[in-house]
Amino acid sequence: MPDANATLKLGNEEKSFPVLSGSVGPDVIDIRKLYAETGAFTYDPGFTSTGSCQSAITYIDGEEGVLLHRGYPIDQLAEQSTFPEVAYLLVNGELPSKDELDQFTYTISRHTMLHEQLANFYRGFRRDAHPMAIMCGVVGALSAFYHDSTDITDPKQRMIASHRLIAKMPTIAAMAYKYTVGQPFMYPDNSLSYTGNFLRMTFGVPAEPYEVNPVIERAMRRIFILHADHEQNASTSTVRLAGSSGANPFACIAAGIACLWGPAHGGANEAALNMLREIGRPERIPEYIARAKDKDDPFRLMGFGHRVYKNFDPRAKVMKATAAEVLKELGKSDPVLDTAQELEQLALQDEYFIEKKLYPNVDFYSGVILNAIGFPTDMFTALFALARTVGWVAQWNEMISDPEQKIGRPRQLYVGEPQRDYVPVEQR
Ligand code: ACO
């Protein structure tokens, strides 16, 4: 039942549309009948004022800097939970009991290996291929290897595909890394945690045992949890849009990976680290802040600002603490971290950033951490894709089970030529 109505006056006609209220957050005006009743569409490039679906997974209050997964604050999950537990929560809606978590962790561990034939697929890539290029290709190709979980009308197959995707992403990402550095692929070790297994597959070699450093393992776990889901962002909307046509889950997640690759989305942590390296030392910060404020200079402070957060990104706070922890553990003093901390402080006191509500986002410190752990910059987005797969899978499942779901098909404001007659080439 609608809670209220909104009235739209178009010409001399007034039409009323239901206003719907969620459990928390802004109301939405239900305009599904707008075109049928008025013959007009809405115009909203970038979907800044458009809710595309109902969802019970993630809630963000950008003004207050709040991020909740199934109601639980992100900082509590990052501090106290594990990645498989957060995955269970996102996909199933509730925190698991001990037995449920054990069963889920066991199920995920049974799916960590890749079909052996997929190793040949990797070998078709150039050694200098970007890991995201490999990830797009390999994840899309899973649909050619796991035919028994591509029938989206069967809930059991949907769940098997979901488990496979969550379980295989660390293996796929680690193999992409190993391939580009020319080292042998490492098979998963299911006795390790989700994160520990990933670290071993990435940095271990078959020639010697690999010991997982608990501080690095905790930092990675936090990074994975902080990236697990973020409501209807560009890549998640891409997954939903691809899925709305009935495409199989592996193809949908491959589409999400493609979208995430862009520098305005998943590529921003790489850009932030590059910027911090370019700044080099704290004395040069004012010059870069001045450039970021200059209307005639396209330069922006990477890792600052967010479409939704107009306050501190709650994930950035956890990242900042984790960066300091990792560098301490590794006994490294990194001028990049000093530059980041100083830049944050100066920008937050600057009128331009205060007025435009530009705060550090999740990407500002994550690059510093990943760099200290030893990941090359082009792996950063691949790690983001690994973690976000959980959110994509949860959102995809929610969409498929939603009786109101339809194929996604936006309309447009057409500004091209009206109808005209074809002219044969010799008469043009
Ligand atoms: N540095 C300097 N100025 C900025 C910055 C920045 N990082 N971000 C926004 N602004 C300014 C814009 O110039 C604009 O100024 P104006 O009103 O005078 O024209 C104003 O703030 C609003 O910016 P928009 O680009 O309109 O805001 P939008 O919501 O579209 O953009 C975005 C958000 C893309 C994240 C932007 O802040 C940005 O480019 N940041 C840097 C890239 C980045 O860190 N991206 C990561 C996002 S988080 C993620 O994907 C996980």
Side-chain angles (χ1 to χ4, degrees):
M1 275 297 283
D3 301 302
N5 285 300
T7 308
L8 175 75
K9 192 155 184 266
L10 200 64
N12 291 327
E13 272 207 82
E14 275 196 3
K15 293 280 176 199
S16 181
F17 297 95
V19 176
L20 310 177
S21 297
S23 42
V24 267
D27 291 343
V28 298
I29 305 167
D30 178 353
I31 54 157
R32 278 175 290 182
K33 295 205 173 112
L34 178 74
Y35 178 61
E37 294 193 358
T38 67
F41 298 124
T42 55
Y43 180 59
D44 187 18
F47 311 121
T48 52
S49 297
T50 297
S52 59
C53 60
Q54 282 191 31
S55 182
I57 300 175
T58 291
Y59 173 73
I60 302 173
D61 181 337
E63 294 299 326
E64 296 298 324
V66 170
L67 169 58
L68 309 177
H69 289 324
R70 302 283 189 185
Y72 297 101
I74 189 66
D75 50 328
Q76 291 182 20
L77 294 173
E79 288 303 330
Q80 299 174 48
S81 189
T82 62
F83 191 68
E85 187 177 60
V86 171
Y88 183 98
L89 173 70
L90 287 169
V91 174
N92 296 293
E94 293 296 337
L95 284 171
S97 66
K98 167 97 178 57
D99 284 353
E100 286 166 338
L101 182 59
D102 288 348
Q103 181 57 46
F104 182 73
T105 308
Y106 175 80
T107 305
I108 294 297
S109 74
R110 295 299 104 180
H111 286 294
T112 50
M113 289 198 296
L114 284 189
H115 191 293
E116 196 61 19
Q117 186 76 9
L118 268 163
N120 297 338
F121 198 84
Y122 278 78
R123 295 192 178 100
F125 286 97
R126 282 170 52 140
R127 289 276 176 191
D128 60 356
H130 194 289
M132 286 295 274
I134 300 181
M135 303 269 287
C136 281
V138 173
V139 173
L142 293 179
S143 36
F145 288 84
Y146 301 103
H147 295 144
D148 58 341
S149 55
T150 52
D151 177 0
I152 64 154
T153 60
D154 177 353
K156 207 163 161 225
Q157 290 200 30
R158 293 207 298 267
M159 210 30 80
I160 295 171
S162 303
H163 292 154
R164 281 185 167 144
L165 278 157
I166 294 167
K168 292 183 197 306
M169 276 317 254
T171 317
I172 292 170
M175 284 173 72
Y177 171 73
K178 285 298 194 200
Y179 186 72
T180 57
V181 294
Q183 288 182 0
F185 297 137
M186 294 285 285
Y187 287 117
D189 177 348
N190 292 337
S191 68
L192 298 174
S193 70
Y194 188 90
T195 321
N197 179 40
F198 172 65
L199 286 167
R200 183 184 156 277
M201 286 191 290
T202 306
F203 297 120
V205 287
E208 54 194 48
Y210 178 81
E211 209 167 302
V212 179
N213 177 327
V215 175
I216 306 299
E217 187 182 19
R218 187 168 63 230
M220 278 315 293
R221 189 184 73 215
R222 283 192 196 146
I223 290 178
F224 286 169
I225 292 175
L226 294 176
H227 285 90
D229 192 49
H230 211 230
E231 207 224 62
Q232 307 310 321
N233 58 83
S235 57
T236 302
S237 298
T238 302
V239 170
R240 280 186 177 256
L241 195 57
S244 76
S245 72
N248 75 68
F250 304 110
C252 296
I253 303 302
I257 294 172
C259 178
L260 186 74
W261 195 353
H265 193 5
N269 52 10
E270 186 174 339
L273 181 68
N274 289 339
M275 177 196 74
L276 291 169
R277 281 185 179 144
E278 190 186 308
I279 297 175
R281 47 183 205 279
E283 305 84 83
R284 296 187 63 199
I285 292 171
E287 179 197 326
Y288 281 82
I289 290 191
R291 282 188 60 196
K293 288 155 58 173
D294 182 354
K295 279 253 159 283
D296 300 324
D297 189 331
F299 174 77
R300 284 185 166 197
L301 279 192
M302 297 314 285
F304 257 79
H306 196 276
R307 170 59 65 78
V308 180
Y309 293 117
K310 303 302 167 196
N311 200 323
F312 234 98
D313 180 338
R315 301 167 300 173
K317 290 185 186 165
V318 184
M319 283 292 184
K320 185 178 177 181
T322 307
E325 206 175 291
V326 166
L327 289 174
K328 186 167 170 243
E329 167 67 17
L330 297 176
K332 288 185 183 169
S333 74
D334 187 349
V336 166
L337 179 62
D338 299 338
T339 308
Q341 284 170 337
E342 179 89 15
L343 176 59
E344 177 193 323
Q345 212 184 355
L346 289 179
L348 291 178
Q349 292 162 3
D350 191 292
E351 205 38 55
Y352 174 94
F353 292 88
I354 295 170
E355 191 207 316
K356 293 188 189 303
K357 299 185 177 173
L358 299 170
Y359 291 83
N361 60 47
V362 67
D363 293 316
F364 191 64
Y365 284 105
S366 61
V368 178
I369 305 172
L370 297 174
N371 178 52
I373 294 176
F375 289 101
T377 45
D378 62 6
M379 270 300 284
F380 292 3
T381 321
L383 300 175
F384 190 164
L386 184 173
R388 184 55 58 86
T389 294
V390 164
W392 290 333
V393 159
Q395 301 266 353
W396 174 81
N397 274 296
E398 182 179 64
M399 181 199 67
I400 301 289
S401 326
D402 182 351
E404 293 195 352
Q405 187 268 326
K406 284 181 163 46
I407 184 165
R409 178 43 171 109
R411 301 302 294 264
Q412 62 175 6
L413 175 65
Y414 179 67
V415 293
E417 294 289 341
Q419 182 170 331
R420 49 183 169 167
D421 288 327
Y422 176 80
V423 180
V425 68
E426 55 283 359
Q427 291 170 30
R428 277 176 230 157

